[in-house]
Amino acid sequence: MRNIILEKIVKLFLNVMLIFSVYLLFRGHNNPGGGFIAGIIAATGFIFYAIIFGTGSVKKMIGLSSRKWMGLGLLVVLVTAILPVFFSKEVLTSLWVPGDFPLLGALHIGTPLLFDSGVFLVVSGMILTIVISIMEVLEWN
Amino acid sequence: MELIFAIFIGLLYACGVFLLLRRSIVKVILGVFVLSNATNLIIFLAGGIKRSGSAFIPEGAETIDPAVISDPLPQALILTAIVIGLGIAAYILALKYRYFEETGTHDLDQLSKTDRK
Amino acid sequence: MIKYLPHLIGFLFIAGLMVPLLYPILKAKLGLFLSLIPLTILIVLFSALAGLTPESLYLLPSSWGLLPEMNFGFRIDGLSLIFGLLISGIGFFIVLYAAWYMSKYERQGHFFTYLMLFMASMTGLVFSDNLLVLFIFWELTSVTSFLLIGFDHHLAKSRQAALQSLLITGLGGLCLLFAVIMIGQVAGTYEISLLIERGIHLGDHPKYRLIFVLLLLAVLTKSAQFPFHFWLPGAMQAPTPVSAYLHSETMVNAGVFLLMRIHPVVGGTMEWKYMLMLTGVITMFLGAFFSMGQRDLKRILAFTTISALGTMVLLIGIDTPQSMKAALVFFIVHGLYKGGLFMVAGIVDKSTGTRDIYLLSKLFKPLPFTSIAAVFALISMAGLPPMLGFIGKELVYDAQIQLPGMSWLLLPLGVGANIMMVAISITIFTEVFSPFGKSDPIKVKYREKDFPWYFLGGPIVLALAGLMLGLMPGMLDTLIANALYAAKNQLLDVNLSLWHGFNDVLLLSLFTVVSGIVVFIFRRSLNVHIGRLIDWFDKYHLPTLFAKGTKIYVDRAYKRTQIIQHGYHRFYLLTFFIVTGLLIVAQVNWDFLSVMPDGGYTPLRINLVLLLVVASLAVIFAVFSRSRLSAILAMGVVGYAVAILYLMYGAIDLAITQFLAETVIMVLFVMVILYLPKFAVLSTRNSRIRDWIISLSIGTLVTFVVLHARFINLYEPISVYFIKNSLTMAHGRNIVNVILVDFRALDTLGEITVLTLAAMGVYSLFRFKVKKNKSKKEL
């Protein structure tokens, strides 16, 4: 039997969680937060969604399979690691673009954020992969 | 306080080791969880608990006196350790589930034949 | 030109590794292409011959090496030139020969890779000026030989022979390593040129005997001396080019080379003389004797090779200038005729499909040029004029006669071995090639004109070289004099000539030939007896003993392993915990218990103490709980309590992560738990009590260690650096996050890789399951 109130709440919950996780990811360099925490939070949102709507709908929503998501994260991290080489710096050195941005004000935008995004993708992808695998095998849907 | 902490960690270790020595695989997994928590605590304690300010540089300041805030390095180490612990936990769970599926037993002594020819 | 030799050797290695890329382009022409490299080396070495005087020595020092004492310096003197010329010269013909011989094999590329790598390491071995480098090349030849013997790895026989040879030569290699290190330690250098220059001789050193025995073992195993000779006939499982190259010309001569190379440092003592003479003479005689009873052409040649190697070791053992000269000439002689004969054996095999000398007959007609080459080589092997073999044998007799005191034993055995060589040579000729006789000619699949020139070229050129050097032996004089100078460190006039005048050596030769013919005439009845002896010998045969020995060893090792590796998970852990605990107890200095830490303990915080009490109760409950769900929930309580602890001490990021991770773990656990069995008490009461004692002591120990850890402050904490530079260098105020993504980003990179692997592990564990379910449904 469908529970409409629950479904609505879960949808809302997912949206809030995703927005919150992105927020945490971006402020992570200066305030509590960061890729690891944001990744787990995003994954939690998806877990609840999967419990209510089944893994199929989550898969549909992500588009890419969660394993490719992890791979993408690793790729982002690797690119970030190798990028400094092209600016004749050592591997894993961070690059910074200081400047004034509209809306955000004076900020330093740099590769650590990219690195953190990679971590975010890997962590959330990992948890999702695990949960989806378990749920599919146990025929939770 | 350090004394209380040390005793608490000791207790966690004792329980963890006892759980690890069980034959039932579920208990062994619980033991792994307990031990990983206890080890994280040891690392945390090694950084010192005298200073308890959070490891942030306040707005407007260039840097902060290390004597005021808690040591950030163990925190970074533990943070990764927690997430790795999550991955490992999931992996053990999956392994345990598959093991139970294949053998129909949760007694680790039944597994002893894999090391013998 | 010679200074490019190291580059050429390196090029051989590269060529070997490039074969997988070259093969698809060149296909059957690969061998022809690769033969250019040994040809270049040969030309370079010939260029070095031009300015050679008996004393000249050319060193190519190098400061490049893997270890401070291990420089890839090269040394070109008469000794390495003789060996190098033979390795590259015969190598050139072998590669050409193999180009056609191996053309039907599917894994031709593999073959040429191994062959090139072998050639590179063998050339490196003879030219290297450093004992450690020499050892590395020595081992590389063993490994490539293993790969080549086991080339037909689908045959159990090949695999067995390959393993046998690897075990034996590997044993020798190990001995060589020990010997080399000891020489280096005693003499203070690993450079051969320095060892010789400083005139270091280890004969009086207290460890001399140990060093010598280790060296001897290395030589005996590599050069297939009694009692390790048996791997060589087994190695005949390899394709014929390999037998012709590795197992008659080059690798097996590495032992002989080592003896000559190291002679100035360890040679000339009583131990040296007697041990080498003894093994040499036994090997020489046994090899020749056993070759009589064989039918397979390659096996006959293998046993005569063993005999020839024994002769060389014997000559080095006699250790007079004459005998050394004889050994060097004999090495050249043997290289020229044996390589040719092996290649002939391969041609015969390809052409008729068999190598059994009693099935083969009258091959002169279909294979005229090959037969002529074979006849020249056989004459050389029998030691008859006008081939170089005659000079070699005369020198050998000369050396044996002149040895005071021992010639009564050596001479009869030496002459006996030679008589059998003569008989074997005549037997091979009459049975296989001779156009006369009653037997019907064997059917041939290929005639000579069906073969390409490069397949036949090798034996013919080698036979002609033997003939030419026999007629003009003076060409070798300077080279051998230089080699003698390198090996014995003394100058000697070398004057080789075919005709020595009428003396007792010539008489002995005549006697040998006549007896050889007599043995040949009575060969049938003789072979029956020898065959019977070999059958009897097979029962106690060394290979069998060796195989048995290995099996017993492996069984023993297996049983011993089972004591430690019993398969009981908890006993592994038990051992681990007890040993670690004891080690900690032994290490820790317990004085700290009476000392307070700097500034004392931090004051108690009542709320935290309460939290810890709750967590302690939860964990104890989890241990004793009979219900899975409540145990897991209790675990969750512990996790959350730890998270609150982090929060209380200002680690906000940690606390958040711990909360979230704990939640996810609980969710996962609850998902799976319903499908898992209920708790049951599996262990006995006694084992539970034992486990409690152990775990409580571990717990106590950890408590002390944690307390102790507060006192250790070895270095200035690096976190101070992080705190100072977090904002200025990394533009971040959250120091923990800055450490994660900037200062220690490499660690994080490794960590997320682990996470990915864990997730993929879970995925694959379950995917297997899903597939199984699906296939069940389909059924």
Side-chain angles (χ1 to χ4, degrees), chain B residues 22 80 96 101 109 115, chain C residues 570 572 676 691 751 769:
Chain B
R22 299 300 84 210
T80 55
K96 175 183 75 171
E101 279 273 321
D109 278 13
D115 264 7
Chain C
R570 57 210 162 99
Y572 290 150
L676 286 173
D691 291 349
E751 194 229 357
K769 168 73 187 165

Side-chain angles (χ1 to χ4, degrees), chain B residues 1-24 26-31 33-35 37 40-42 44-66 69-98 100-102 105-109 111-117, chain C residues 558 562 565-570 572-574 577 598 600-605 608-609 612 615-616 619-620 622-623 625 631-632 635 638-639 642 645-646 648-654 657-658 661-662 664-665 668-669 672-673 675-680 682-683 687-688 691-692 694-696 698-699 702-703 706-707 710 717-720 722-724 726-728 732-736 739-740 744 751 754-755 758 761-762 765-766 768-769 772:
Chain B
M1 202 65 222
E2 279 92 343
L3 211 58
I4 307 277
F5 259 119
I7 293 168
F8 179 61
I9 292 170
L11 178 76
L12 285 188
Y13 256 87
C15 293
V17 170
F18 181 76
L19 285 171
L20 274 188
L21 293 176
R22 299 300 84 210
R23 273 163 67 178
S24 164
V26 186
K27 294 216 165 184
V28 172
I29 292 170
L30 289 181
F33 291 166
V34 174
L35 276 186
N37 263 329
N40 285 347
L41 270 183
I42 291 186
F44 189 66
L45 201 59
I49 56 169
K50 258 176 221 159
R51 318 160 298 181
S52 53
S54 30
F56 295 96
I57 297 171
E59 275 309 315
E62 270 285 290
T63 179
I64 189 168
D65 182 12
I69 57 169
S70 53
D71 197 341
L73 184 62
Q75 293 186 28
L77 293 178
I78 299 170
L79 204 145
T80 55
I82 292 171
V83 183
I84 289 217
L86 172 64
I88 298 295
Y91 186 73
I92 303 179
L93 273 174
L95 205 59
K96 175 183 75 171
Y97 176 78
R98 293 285 305 141
F100 182 60
E101 279 273 321
E102 288 289 317
T105 174
H106 61 126
D107 183 356
L108 273 173
D109 278 13
L111 205 64
S112 64
K113 284 171 202 84
T114 49
D115 264 7
R116 287 182 247 153
K117 230 184 256 173
Chain C
Y558 175 63
Q562 274 211 341
Q565 199 126 333
H566 40 65
Y568 288 97
H569 173 258
R570 57 210 162 99
Y572 290 150
L573 287 174
L574 209 61
F577 283 126
D598 301 341
Y601 294 114
T602 43
L604 286 181
R605 286 161 75 174
L608 278 184
V609 174
L612 290 183
S616 310
V619 78
I620 292 169
V623 172
S625 164
I632 289 157
M635 269 319 143
V638 177
V642 172
L645 266 184
Y646 292 145
M648 293 291 201
Y649 283 100
I652 300 166
D653 280 348
L654 266 192
T657 318
Q658 172 83 6
E662 204 64 37
V664 173
I665 290 178
L668 292 181
F669 224 120
V672 179
I673 202 75
Y675 296 86
L676 286 173
K678 293 204 169 72
F679 287 163
L682 290 170
S683 45
S687 71
R688 272 205 308 280
D691 291 349
W692 265 125
I694 288 164
S695 42
L696 281 178
I698 293 279
V702 169
T703 304
V706 169
L707 283 177
R710 302 273 303 115
I718 46 170
S719 47
V720 173
F722 294 147
I723 294 168
K724 267 188 190 149
S726 175
L727 188 63
T728 47
R733 296 185 185 278
N734 182 351
I735 304 172
V736 176
I739 292 176
L740 280 176
R744 308 290 311 157
E751 194 229 357
V754 172
L755 287 180
V762 174
L765 274 172
F766 279 125
F768 181 55
K769 168 73 187 165
K772 220 173 165 185

Side-chain angles (χ1 to χ4, degrees), chain C residues 274 400-410:
Chain C
Y274 282 102
Q400 286 170 352
I401 288 176
Q402 284 186 5
L403 184 73
M406 287 289 281
S407 59
W408 60 270
L409 175 66
L410 297 186

Side-chain angles (χ1 to χ4, degrees), chain C residues 5 9 45 73-76 80-81 84 123-129:
Chain C
L5 187 65
I9 294 173
L45 291 179
F74 285 82
R75 170 191 179 86
I76 296 126
S80 47
L81 269 179
T123 321
L125 193 157
V126 295
F127 283 105
S128 70
D129 190 30

